[in-house]
Amino acid sequence: MIDLTGKNALVTGIANNRSIAWGIAQQLHKAGANLGITYMKDEKGKHERKVAELVEPLNPSLYLPCNVQNESEIESTFEAIAEKWGKLDILVHCLAFAGKDELSGDFTNTSRQGFSNALDISAYSLVRLCAAAKPLMAEGGSIITLSYLGGVRVIPNYNVMGIAKAALEMNVRYLAAELGPLNIRVNAISSGPIRTLASSAVGGILDMIHHVEEVAPLRRTVTQQEVGNAATFLCSSMASGITGQILYVDAGYEIMGM
C-alpha cells in the first residue's frame, strides 16, 4: 500500500462520479493524502454543490473555486493553499475543453476561437498552475496531468483536442526539465477512452471504447480507479526517479498496429 500520509494534494477537474479526476482523488485519499479540491463556479451554484456533495466522503481540507481562465481565481487558490497548508506536495491537472462543434466533422472547420480556447484550457493551464505551485513545492513535489492517444495519433473526431494534447505532452517535458533541479517531477497519464462528461462531447466515443475492447491486449478499456492507482504511484516516492514521461494506462492499446 502506497503511503501519502502528510502529503498535501490539490486535485482539479472533478465534474461528477465518472470523472477521471474523481478516480484519482479517491485513490490519493485511500493512500492518506490531505486533499484540496477545486471546482468551476456557475451562476446558480449547482456545480459547486454537486461536487461538494460528491467529495464530502474524502474530507477535503480545502474546497476552492478555480477557473483557469481567471487569473484572480488562480491566485486566490494558491494563496489559500499557502495560508492553510504552507506547502503543496502534489498537483493533479485534469482539465480539458473543446467546443462540441470542434469535436466532430472536418478538422479544417475548427474556428480560431475554438482552437484558442482548447489550447488555453487544455494545455496552457498546466503551465500556469505549475508556475503558481512552484513556490509552494520547496520540498519537492509531483505534478500529474492527463493525456490521450489522440495527441500522437489521428483519432476520428478528436480534432483540436489532439492538438491540445500534443501541446500538453510537450509541456510535460519542458516543465520536467525546468522543475527537475527543484525535485519537482512532472508526468502525464495517457488513459484509454473512458466515458466521462468531457469525452461524451467527442463524436463516436462509444465506438472508440468498443474498438479498444476488441483490439487492446487486455480486451477491455480501463477504469477511473486504474488511472487513479497509476497517478498515486507517480505521486509517491516509489516513482522518485520518473519525470517527463507519458505513462500509458490503456489496457495495452497503444502498442497495437492493427
Side-chain angles (χ1 to χ4, degrees):
M1 182 66 141
I2 292 172
D3 186 5
L4 295 178
T5 303
K7 300 295 185 181
N8 297 321
L10 182 70
V11 180
T12 67
I14 297 176
N16 57 33
N17 62 0
R18 288 187 174 182
S19 299
I20 295 176
W22 169 236
I24 293 174
Q26 287 179 294
Q27 298 313 108
L28 291 176
H29 173 70
K30 286 182 181 178
N34 176 39
L35 295 182
I37 305 293
T38 69
Y39 64 89
M40 277 281 289
K41 289 191 293 189
D42 58 6
E43 289 184 4
K44 297 182 178 180
K46 183 178 179 181
H47 184 69
E48 177 182 355
R49 292 190 297 272
K50 181 179 180 180
V51 176
E53 181 179 343
L54 177 65
V55 303
E56 185 179 4
L58 307 186
N59 193 31
S61 60
L62 284 172
Y63 187 63
L64 304 163
C66 188
N67 177 348
V68 291
Q69 291 188 297
N70 185 319
E71 283 296 318
S72 64
E73 286 194 13
I74 294 174
E75 291 171 5
S76 295
T77 294
F78 286 88
E79 286 171 1
I81 292 171
E83 183 177 347
K84 178 80 172 180
W85 292 347
K87 65 163 186 159
L88 181 65
D89 303 292
I90 296 166
L91 171 63
V92 179
H93 174 275
C94 301
L95 303 168
F97 175 81
K100 196 160 186 178
D101 290 343
E102 268 73 47
L103 295 174
S104 62
D106 293 341
F107 177 55
T108 51
N109 289 334
T110 305
S111 69
R112 185 181 298 272
Q113 187 61 49
F115 191 98
S116 177
N117 278 341
L119 271 289
D120 183 19
I121 297 171
S122 309
Y124 175 72
S125 62
L126 176 64
V127 179
R128 183 64 189 89
L129 293 186
C130 284
K134 182 178 173 181
L136 296 172
M137 290 186 161
E139 299 176 10
S142 178
I143 298 168
I144 304 292
T145 189
L146 293 179
S147 190
Y148 176 59
L149 185 63
V152 294
R153 299 185 190 177
V154 175
I155 302 293
N157 296 315
Y158 204 57
N159 293 358
V160 72
M161 276 306 304
I163 310 305
K165 292 301 187 184
L168 181 72
E169 292 189 8
M170 208 62 226
N171 284 347
V172 166
R173 299 181 182 100
Y174 275 97
L175 290 166
E178 175 189 333
L179 300 177
L182 302 176
N183 196 31
I184 300 172
R185 298 180 296 106
V186 186
N187 294 289
I189 294 173
S190 185
S191 166
I194 297 175
R195 194 173 183 184
T196 65
L197 182 63
S199 71
S200 64
V202 180
I205 182 62
L206 291 181
D207 292 336
M208 291 164 60
I209 292 173
H210 294 327
H211 176 69
V212 168
E213 291 170 340
E214 292 173 358
V215 174
L218 295 182
R219 295 297 189 269
R220 62 178 179 83
T221 188
V222 294
T223 67
Q224 289 90 336
Q225 180 178 337
E226 287 175 315
V227 178
N229 287 337
T232 302
F233 161 70
L234 287 173
C235 291
S236 76
S237 60
M238 295 180 71
S240 59
I242 301 174
T243 194
Q245 302 302 306
I246 314 301
L247 175 63
Y248 283 88
V249 181
D250 67 348
Y253 180 78
E254 185 269 339
I255 70 170
M256 302 303 292
M258 290 183 66

